[in-house]
């Protein structure tokens, strides 16, 4: 029986683009978290 080599991922199916999009989403979430942390200061008038 022939053994078929199946890679876990292939760079030909846009994996690089998906990695870049995922990285941008993570950076956006971290940025939103820092914005919310910075805006939670109590303002006294």
């Amino acid at each position: 029986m022939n053994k078929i080599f199946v890679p876990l991922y292939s760079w030909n199916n846009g994996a690089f683009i998906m990695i870049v999009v995922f990285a941008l989403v993570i950076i956006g979430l971290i940025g939103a978290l820092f914005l919310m942390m910075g805006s939670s200061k109590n303002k006294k008038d």
Side-chain angles (χ1 to χ4, degrees), residues 11-23:
W11 291 107
N12 295 328
N13 63 357
F16 182 74
I17 296 171
M18 293 169 66
I19 290 171
V20 170
V21 169
F22 182 73

Side-chain angles (χ1 to χ4, degrees), residues 2-37:
N2 292 335
K3 292 184 179 179
I4 300 173
F5 176 72
V6 179
L8 294 175
Y9 61 90
S10 174
W11 291 107
N12 295 328
N13 63 357
F16 182 74
I17 296 171
M18 293 169 66
I19 290 171
V20 170
V21 169
F22 182 73
L24 290 175
V25 168
I26 295 298
I27 291 171
L29 287 173
I30 293 172
L33 180 67
F34 280 127
L35 278 174
M36 285 189 282
M37 286 171 52

